[in-house]
């Protein structure tokens, strides 16, 4: 039977999973892939809809009873955090309506932690591709954006009120935990799955040109230089292995959020011991 996999169509995911999706990983089963925004996969994973799935680290408290966290394939890093964008000279979010890409995304969780002392007046969940045009048109006072928006927001006449990655790194010294890869309990062996994902990552790095056509086909009309910068930023040492710093970042994020009452408390073993 085919392994069901859900990832985003973003260049970092298609680059990382190209070999696995195309049957180039020895010993891995055939893969049936679904492409969806992370807000969709966060919700689908609650239903146990996929064997392997890319989700937000912020969604883990609702998912770890059903899934194992894999130590590879995800998106963590430095200098790659979400941005809060505005139009004009706004210096704070007092009375503001803010567009966000999902209510269980890591971006929104970081935003809630950052804005706890002075939250905006209203939050609207908006499809990611509508956020920057909506802020530019005045439909929203600010927008929370991720990924390639870091490279393109100037084109919309917008400015960055805050880089939440810079804020998080300055406050904790840790990388930003953005997207996680999970394996469904009882459906796929997590050690085997980690091996498949690591081999897919290894092949991606060994021959970047092999995935080029596939990546560009799903890149939503991104320019080539934006695609390359996107991959360079989000596919890094933590993609190959979360390591001590990666797991520390996950634990710090979820512990802070639980203390603030923003997510359910989970045991540290479930958050860090991926085979537990």
């Amino acid at each position: 039977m085919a392994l069901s996999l859900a990832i985003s169509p973003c260049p970092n995911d298609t680059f990382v999973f190209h070999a696995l999706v195309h049957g180039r990983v020895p010993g891995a089963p055939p893969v049936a892939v679904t492409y969806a925004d992370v807000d969709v996969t966060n919700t689908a994973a609650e239903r146990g809809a996929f064997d392997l799935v890319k989700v937000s680290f912020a969604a883990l408290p609702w998912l770890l009873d059903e899934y194992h966290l894999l130590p590879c394939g995800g998106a963590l890093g430095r200098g790659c955090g979400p941005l809060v964008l505005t139009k004009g000279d706004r210096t704070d979010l007092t009375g503001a309506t803010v567009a966000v890409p999902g209510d269980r995304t890591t971006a929104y969780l970081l935003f809630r932690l950052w804005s706890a002392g002075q939250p905006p007046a209203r939050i609207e969940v908006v499809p990611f591709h509508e956020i920057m045009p909506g802020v530019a048109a005045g439909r929203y006072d600010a927008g929370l954006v991720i990924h390639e928006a870091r490279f393109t927001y100037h084109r919309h006449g917008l400015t960055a009120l805050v880089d939440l990655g810079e804020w998080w790194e300055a406050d904790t010294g840790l990388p930003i935990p953005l997207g996680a890869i999970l394996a469904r309990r009882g459906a796929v062996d997590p050690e085997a799955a980690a091996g498949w994902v690591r081999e897919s990552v290894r092949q991606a790095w060994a021959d970047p040109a092999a995935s080029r056509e596939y990546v560009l086909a799903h890149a939503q009309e991104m320019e080539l230089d934006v695609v390359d910068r996107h991959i360079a930023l989000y596919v890094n040492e933590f993609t190959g292995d979360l390591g001590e710093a990666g797991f520390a970042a996950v634990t710090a994020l979820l512990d802070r959020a639980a203390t603030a009452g923003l997510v359910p408390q989970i045991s540290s073993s479930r958050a860090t011991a991926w085979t537990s």
Side-chain angles (χ1 to χ4, degrees):
M1 293 182 63
L3 184 81
S4 59
L5 168 71
I7 56 175
S8 82
C10 291
N12 60 307
D13 282 353
T14 50
F15 179 78
V16 164
F17 285 94
H18 170 260
L20 182 60
V21 167
H22 290 85
R24 300 183 181 185
V25 173
V31 171
V33 62
T34 296
Y35 303 97
D37 288 341
V38 72
D39 193 43
V40 174
T41 59
N42 286 344
T43 301
E46 276 200 87
R47 306 191 305 270
F50 299 103
D51 299 324
L52 289 180
V53 59
K54 171 79 171 288
V55 300
S56 301
F57 274 108
L60 291 190
W62 291 274
L63 301 176
L64 289 181
D65 285 341
E66 184 75 20
Y67 284 90
H68 296 279
L69 169 62
L70 297 190
C72 52
L76 293 87
R78 299 183 184 275
C80 60
L83 305 177
V84 179
L85 304 179
T86 63
K87 184 179 181 181
D89 300 325
R90 178 181 282 272
T91 59
D92 61 51
L93 298 178
T94 303
T97 296
V98 181
V100 305
D103 59 3
R104 287 191 182 172
T105 60
T106 305
Y108 184 47
L109 186 56
L110 288 169
F111 175 83
R112 294 176 77 189
L113 291 169
W114 169 77
S115 65
Q118 193 175 31
R122 186 180 179 195
I123 295 293
E124 289 193 24
V125 176
V126 175
F128 175 69
H129 67 277
E130 296 179 11
I131 292 178
M132 288 192 293
V135 176
R139 291 192 294 275
Y140 315 107
D141 300 303
L144 178 63
V145 301
I146 54 176
H147 294 329
E148 69 276 3
R150 165 176 292 275
F151 311 122
T152 61
Y153 71 88
H154 299 96
R155 301 175 189 176
H156 296 265
L158 304 179
T159 58
L161 177 64
V162 63
D163 182 325
L164 293 174
E166 288 182 359
W167 168 78
W168 171 260
E169 290 181 60
D171 200 47
T172 68
L174 296 168
I176 309 109
L178 298 169
I181 305 300
L182 306 184
R184 188 157 62 93
R185 295 177 184 271
V188 57
D189 178 76
E191 292 190 61
W196 304 332
V197 174
R198 281 200 171 106
E199 174 59 17
S200 195
V201 173
R202 188 199 67 77
Q203 290 189 36
W205 279 330
D207 186 7
S211 63
R212 174 66 75 181
E213 183 177 349
Y214 171 63
V215 169
L216 293 177
H218 293 277
Q220 300 178 354
E221 301 182 0
M222 282 186 216
E223 297 158 11
L224 185 57
D225 69 312
V226 173
V227 169
D228 289 340
R229 291 166 70 190
H230 182 115
I231 292 171
L233 187 59
Y234 294 102
V235 184
N236 53 46
E237 67 205 80
F238 298 108
T239 312
D241 191 277
L242 288 177
E244 185 177 338
F247 280 123
V250 176
T251 301
L253 176 68
L254 298 183
D255 282 353
R256 280 191 178 203
T259 299
L262 302 179
V263 304
Q265 183 71 57
I266 59 174
S267 70
S268 59
S269 63
R270 278 285 166 101
T272 60
W274 60 278
T275 56
S276 65

